[in-house]
Amino acid sequence: YQINIGKRNEGVKPTVAPDFSEAITALSARMTQVDASSFESQDQIIVNGFYYADESLTISGTKFAGDCVIVAENDIIYNVDSLSGDGRVVLYSKHGNISINGSQITINGILYAPEGSVNINAYDTTFNGRMIANQFQYNGSIFNVTASASDLELLYDLPVIKITADPEEIELGESAVFSIVCEDEETPYEVKFRLNGEDVEIDEDLT
């Protein structure tokens, strides 16, 4: 069995989970609405857009792919052989669980079940993004998890950040000094997510 997690923080104090509910539901006004017939059981299901289910939603097929946001009042259930990582998905179960059952699963995006659990039953799973739920359960053989700051772009329009090198502070073979300008008030938080290189230090008092 293999469980590969790029980075783990153990023994940390509990933190309040972020509330993505308004940001996710607001996407309905900006995205193409998906018809319910798109989820009918078939060999390949490709969904691009926003879909809302007033109860639970079950998706059954051989392969699922696409860029989509799915919101359900209760459970979201995938029964697929493969969930393709070609696109990015946001799955939001308001009051239920998110269950993914398959064999070869690749998820790029966000799984959000604030009142329930995320359950993955698959032989080989690769998850790139973030998962927020009361509980998580995995049954399978290979589980790869990679944090991805870019999935926040699925929910928010991140501010434009301009980084300019200061020529007076750069010496050959030494560290470079950069000036960072951001129009957003929450500069430190956003800069942390946008600067993903190694050895990048962010001043917490940056304004």
Side-chain angles (χ1 to χ4, degrees):
Y1 297 109
Q2 299 179 34
I3 299 179
N4 300 315
I5 301 175
K7 179 181 179 181
R8 65 175 79 201
N9 297 321
E10 299 181 355
V12 298
K13 295 181 179 179
T15 184
V16 177
D19 186 351
F20 291 154
S21 57
E22 290 187 10
I24 294 176
T25 53
L27 296 174
S28 174
R30 308 201 322 246
M31 302 179 66
T32 301
Q33 300 298 305
V34 175
D35 189 83
S37 61
S38 301
F39 297 99
E40 293 178 357
S41 180
Q42 51 189 299
D43 179 60
Q44 180 169 284
I45 301 174
I46 299 176
V47 176
N48 294 296
F50 185 97
Y51 183 77
Y52 168 75
D54 57 5
E55 294 183 356
S56 295
L57 174 65
T58 299
I59 302 169
S60 300
T62 303
K63 180 179 180 180
F64 182 92
D67 292 294
C68 62
V69 175
I70 298 175
V71 179
E73 290 293 330
N74 294 310
D75 297 337
I76 299 175
I77 302 171
Y78 276 79
N79 297 313
V80 295
D81 284 343
S82 66
L83 199 159
S84 172
D86 295 338
R88 298 197 295 177
V89 299
V90 176
L91 305 182
Y92 173 24
S93 170
K94 290 187 175 182
H95 308 293
N97 307 317
I98 297 174
S99 299
I100 299 175
N101 309 302
S103 55
Q104 192 79 26
I105 303 298
T106 299
I107 304 171
N108 299 323
I110 299 173
L111 304 182
Y112 186 46
E115 297 183 8
S117 63
V118 170
N119 309 302
I120 300 178
N121 304 292
Y123 170 75
D124 187 348
T125 301
T126 297
F127 181 64
N128 304 309
R130 69 191 61 216
M131 183 187 309
I132 299 172
N134 271 344
Q135 295 182 353
F136 170 69
Q137 178 175 310
Y138 175 74
N139 293 308
S141 296
I142 303 172
F143 187 33
N144 297 291
V145 179
T146 303
S148 175
S150 64
D151 56 75
L152 282 180
E153 296 176 7
L154 297 169
L155 306 181
Y156 305 105
D157 293 327
L158 298 185
V160 175
I161 296 175
K162 297 180 180 180
I163 304 175
T164 306
D166 188 343
E168 297 180 359
E169 298 291 341
I170 299 178
E171 297 291 341
L172 184 62
E174 296 186 3
S175 298
V177 176
F178 297 89
S179 298
I180 300 176
V181 178
C182 180
E183 297 179 356
D184 192 277
E185 292 182 358
E186 296 191 15
T187 301
Y189 177 82
E190 298 298 355
V191 167
K192 282 184 177 180
F193 279 97
R194 300 296 290 278
L195 295 179
N196 57 4
E198 296 182 359
D199 300 325
V200 175
E201 296 182 1
I202 303 299
D203 185 351
E204 294 291 347
D205 296 326
L206 184 64
T207 58

